[in-house]
Amino acid sequence: MESSSQLVKALRTNNETLQNINSLFADMMSRYHIYFFHETLSTDVKGTRELIVDESSAAPYAEGVERMGIEADHRHMCKFEDDNAPGYEAVAEALLRYSRDAPATILDRWAEEEQTRRAATQNKLKDLLRNVVTKLTGTREARQYFANGGERAGSPQNW
């Protein structure tokens, strides 16, 4: 198991592992409602005070993303003493808003998924039909059939 210092090192600015994770995450961010929170106070680490995760790592700038600093150190930024604690209201509001919006978002995603499945099924059926038509009518005529958008070439009496 990795030690604490190795984990802290992985969270530092310009760390290759963190950059790889951010890169992979960036590709899918637009599908989610995201609110980045980051510490604004330094944490005591073996007698020195430092930010464990700097703002650019914890809350990268991205289109459609919300971000906010919480006036606390890394250890305390998610341990609110009460509902008057710094950041509590923003976190609570975001959770309420996201949970309120979730059912409609889920329905939209299900509809997208259904469309994707239907398109994949239609593509498979087209491929099967193309194979059947090619075997039954010959390659040239099959190409003409599909070039004409599924219509047979020539007049009906030539069918």
Side-chain angles (χ1 to χ4, degrees):
M1 186 167 159
E2 291 189 47
S3 72
S4 251
S5 62
Q6 287 174 315
L7 291 173
V8 169
K9 184 180 173 186
L11 297 174
R12 299 257 189 256
T13 304
N14 297 324
N15 177 277
E16 186 178 353
T17 301
L18 186 59
Q19 288 174 348
N20 289 337
I21 291 169
N22 284 342
S23 175
L24 293 170
F25 185 58
D27 292 342
M28 65 175 103
M29 281 176 54
S30 64
R31 294 195 41 84
Y32 301 96
H33 299 285
I34 297 173
Y35 205 137
F36 288 124
F37 294 97
H38 61 91
E39 65 206 64
T40 60
L41 301 180
S42 300
T43 301
D44 182 19
V45 179
K46 297 181 182 176
T48 64
R49 298 204 58 86
E50 58 185 272
L51 292 176
I52 301 298
V53 184
D54 68 17
E55 180 181 349
S56 64
S57 296
Y61 286 96
E63 187 177 332
V65 168
E66 297 175 88
R67 51 195 316 278
M68 185 183 119
I70 292 181
E71 192 178 333
D73 67 19
H74 189 76
R75 291 185 184 109
H76 297 99
M77 66 179 281
C78 60
K79 297 175 186 170
F80 303 108
E81 290 181 24
D82 57 36
D83 57 0
N84 292 316
Y88 176 88
E89 192 172 313
V91 171
E93 185 278 329
L95 290 171
L96 288 171
R97 182 166 34 100
Y98 290 176
S99 62
R100 183 189 64 235
D101 296 346
T105 301
I106 290 167
L107 287 175
D108 289 345
R109 299 281 168 79
W110 284 349
E112 284 176 28
E113 228 177 87
E114 180 61 26
Q115 281 182 315
T116 301
R117 264 196 303 276
R118 285 179 192 235
T121 300
Q122 287 176 345
N123 287 335
K124 283 181 185 178
L125 290 173
K126 281 182 182 179
D127 287 344
L128 287 171
L129 182 59
R130 181 176 290 121
N131 289 337
V132 168
V133 170
T134 299
K135 287 178 182 174
L136 293 176
T137 63
T139 306
R140 193 175 117 251
E141 190 175 308
R143 278 194 226 125
Q144 287 175 336
Y145 175 83
F146 287 105
N148 292 329
E151 300 292 326
R152 287 190 74 166
S155 61
Q157 62 265 29
N158 294 335
W159 298 351

